[in-house]
Amino acid sequence: MNVPDSVATALADREVAGRTCLEAGAGVGNATAGLLDAGADHVYAVTDRADHAEGVRERFDGDDRVTLVEADLRDLPLPEGAVEVITAHALFNVLPNDAAAPIAAELTRVAAPGAELIVDDYDPMPPESPVRQLFAVENAAAELANARAALTFYPADGLRRLFGGHGWEHDRTRGILEPVPWSESHLTAHVAEVRGHANALPESLGQQLITEAELLAKSTGSSDEGRMYSVAMRLPA
């Protein structure tokens, strides 16, 4: 099945075959596909977004190795110690700050002794980066509309320390995509997010944010910059 190189690279040195796994924040199911390709016995694909759930359902239709779980990651309908491998691929950058700690606690609760955790995310980009500037406009629109940032970029050490506080022991950190290809369609999708948030704002203010986002996306076109990293940890057996 189609597995992105970044997912395959993150899982290449992990013990996945024959194990029960969980993809936290399933998105389009790329990590689920990677886990199955690596020989997982079963994968719980967890998402709280209806559109993502529908995509995962269609992608793995008829595959009894996959269970789609539509739930908040802060309250998983799984017993303690239910899973042996957990992936969080490009999850934490789209979480509000106040969700990171309870999600880390809940993922720890459902992890079996000796479980492995693979957290893949993006390094913060420098302030002068045009892609970073577009993301800043998106965050401004989201903060004004919902009082929550849309995107948060954690350094690898930050997520390592977050899970370390729940007993996870660091195994390795490595780059899995460098530079990161921010395509024209990718940036256009972020402009669409700005438009969505702007709909909840006064028209004049919302239009200013949309115009700035469109100008940034148009002037950038596409860009190869930044790094995606993978942090692997284990729970003591």
Side-chain angles (χ1 to χ4, degrees):
M1 59 187 70
N2 185 21
V3 179
D5 290 344
S6 57
V7 172
T9 301
L11 295 175
D13 62 347
R14 301 296 94 190
E15 298 177 9
V16 175
R19 304 181 85 180
T20 300
C21 306
L22 183 151
E23 180 183 9
V28 298
N30 282 333
T32 292
L35 290 164
L36 294 176
D37 192 61
D41 182 66
H42 197 85
V43 181
Y44 294 100
V46 183
T47 181
D48 63 355
R49 286 186 50 167
D51 56 338
H52 290 177
E54 183 58 29
V56 170
R57 187 178 292 110
E58 291 179 2
R59 184 172 184 177
F60 300 102
D61 182 41
D63 193 331
D64 59 9
R65 297 173 298 169
V66 177
T67 298
L68 173 63
V69 180
E70 296 185 63
D72 191 313
L73 285 166
R74 292 167 289 192
D75 186 22
L76 293 169
L78 295 173
E80 293 184 11
V83 296
E84 299 163 288
V85 178
I86 298 171
T87 63
H89 187 78
L91 168 69
F92 280 88
N93 72 96
V94 296
L95 294 177
N97 283 334
D98 60 0
I103 287 175
E106 184 68 348
L107 293 179
T108 303
R109 182 188 69 81
V110 301
E116 295 200 56
L117 170 70
I118 306 97
V119 179
D120 310 324
D121 232 292
Y122 302 95
D123 274 331
M125 289 182 290
E128 66 274 11
S129 157
V131 177
R132 167 73 175 271
Q133 292 171 30
L134 174 58
F135 292 164
V137 175
E138 183 177 344
N139 274 345
E143 286 276 8
L144 289 167
N146 308 312
R148 289 180 181 272
L151 302 165
T152 304
F153 293 93
Y154 297 89
D157 190 56
L159 294 179
R160 180 183 69 80
R161 290 177 181 274
L162 170 65
F163 281 94
H166 292 279
W168 294 87
E169 297 177 349
H170 180 253
D171 180 38
R172 61 100 175 115
T173 298
R174 62 189 299 188
I176 56 173
L177 190 60
E178 188 175 7
V180 177
W182 304 101
S183 67
E184 182 176 350
S185 62
H186 195 159
L187 299 187
T188 299
H190 283 279
V191 174
E193 290 294 318
V194 174
R195 289 196 191 97
H197 295 305
N199 286 336
L201 302 175
E203 184 177 356
S204 60
L205 176 57
Q207 189 55 54
Q208 288 181 43
L209 292 165
I210 293 170
T211 299
E212 181 65 17
E214 289 175 341
L215 287 172
L216 284 166
K218 183 177 180 179
S219 62
T220 304
S222 63
S223 182
D224 295 330
E225 58 182 293
R227 180 183 81 128
M228 190 177 198
Y229 59 79
S230 176
V231 179
M233 292 162 274
R234 287 191 178 94
L235 273 183

